[in-house]
Amino acid sequence: MNTTAIRRAIYGKLAGDTTLNNLLGTAAPGYSKAIYFEVAPEAARYPLVIFQKQSGSPTYTFGAPDTAIESDLWLVKAVAQDLPGSSGSDAAEAAQARVAALLNDASLSISGGALLLWLRREQDGIDFAETLDGEVYRHAGALYRLTSTT
Amino acid sequence: MSSLKSRIPEIVVAMEPAVQATIAESVGAMASEAASNAPDAPPAFTGLPESIEAKEAQDGHGIYAAWYWHFPEFGTVRQAAHPYLIPAVEHEVPSMLAKLRGVLGHL
């Protein structure tokens, strides 16, 4: 599978949604949306969305050197910072809910000829908090199964 | 002359231990692979690989690890994820299903 094409397709789906982007913070300098691949830059403002490929399983056809179908898990999570008097959980969960609405059973425009067979939320509840330099950050995410031809 | 006799009770008795043994073996393989791929960078993840183990609990076989296992698996605000657990499970599941089919087919 062309991970680059999939990554761009997922980004395009999320970045193109006004409702989701209204839930997110201002994009970091050099970025157009607060949606980042793998890790957010240090100057990122919260809430934001991070997505990444969590696992990939290729399926081959007999002796062909190339894969026929790939079944991958993508993690998409929202991260929000606690503010005085309010937990970041609400903001992270709201963004995560919008992501789920956008991606579950969605169609994707994948460049390069790969055909999306299905895209479905497979596991949610990837929710946790972390403390960094005295600030609390709330993560709310889910794993999406993305199966496609190569 | 032998009489017709149902093997269903015999199969039902044999099924659970055979299936449980196969699942235990596969979960053990998942835990081993996860441990070999887990980050071991001090100070944040010191001891993570050693903490990963397969155990049988009340609700079945599972993989257990140090409380901070999810930080490298899913990433933090400063660090990109280093997935080690889910890829190990994903890698082993087809093999486990094939073994279970074999076990059930030979009962």
Side-chain angles (χ1 to χ4, degrees):
Chain A
M1 178 183 291
N2 186 338
T3 298
T4 303
I6 297 289
R7 169 168 57 82
R8 288 178 175 165
I10 293 173
Y11 178 85
K13 191 79 176 179
L14 300 177
D17 184 67
T18 306
T19 304
L20 174 63
N21 286 282
N22 286 341
L23 295 169
L24 305 180
T26 307
Y31 294 80
S32 60
K33 307 287 181 185
I35 299 167
Y36 307 99
F37 179 61
E38 292 186 337
V39 69
E42 199 162 335
R45 306 286 293 271
Y46 296 84
L48 52 81
V49 167
I50 296 174
F51 70 106
Q52 70 201 36
K53 185 175 174 179
Q54 197 75 13
S55 177
S57 304
T59 299
Y60 294 87
T61 53
F62 303 103
D66 297 325
T67 56
I69 293 175
E70 293 241 3
S71 178
D72 297 340
L73 282 173
W74 284 77
L75 170 67
V76 186
K77 64 177 182 177
V79 186
Q81 188 178 13
D82 277 6
L83 298 172
S86 75
S87 166
S89 297
D90 290 352
E93 288 163 5
Q96 166 54 23
R98 185 59 190 166
V99 168
L102 285 170
L103 293 184
N104 199 38
D105 283 337
S107 60
L108 283 183
S109 301
I110 305 170
S111 64
L115 175 65
L116 178 70
L117 300 176
W118 68 82
L119 172 59
R120 182 163 286 180
R121 186 171 54 156
E122 187 161 293
Q123 182 188 335
D124 60 6
I126 299 175
D127 302 343
F128 58 95
E130 64 167 312
T131 304
L132 181 69
D133 300 331
E135 303 287 342
V136 178
Y137 298 86
R138 310 280 178 172
H139 299 241
L143 291 171
Y144 294 84
R145 174 76 61 185
L146 193 157
T147 303
S148 72
T149 62
T150 56
Chain B
M1 181 176 169
S2 61
S3 60
L4 285 174
K5 185 181 168 188
S6 171
R7 287 191 62 238
I8 290 177
E10 178 190 334
I11 290 171
V12 168
V13 168
M15 186 185 297
E16 186 175 352
V19 167
Q20 289 291 342
T22 303
I23 291 173
E25 180 190 336
S26 295
V27 173
M30 292 172 189
S32 296
E33 185 175 332
S36 67
N37 293 331
D40 192 15
F45 304 131
T46 302
L48 177 59
E50 294 80 7
S51 76
I52 299 170
E53 61 176 334
K55 283 198 291 195
E56 185 177 5
Q58 265 189 332
D59 55 351
H61 298 274
I63 301 172
Y64 293 80
W67 67 270
Y68 50 83
W69 70 271
H70 54 287
F71 290 137
E73 180 71 28
F74 301 123
T76 66
V77 293
R78 288 284 178 268
Q79 284 195 307
H82 177 135
Y84 62 94
L85 184 58
I86 290 172
V89 172
E90 286 279 297
H91 182 239
E92 184 62 25
V93 162
S95 169
M96 180 177 73
L97 294 177
K99 287 175 190 168
L100 286 172
R101 278 193 292 271
V103 164
L104 296 174
H106 285 90
L107 287 175

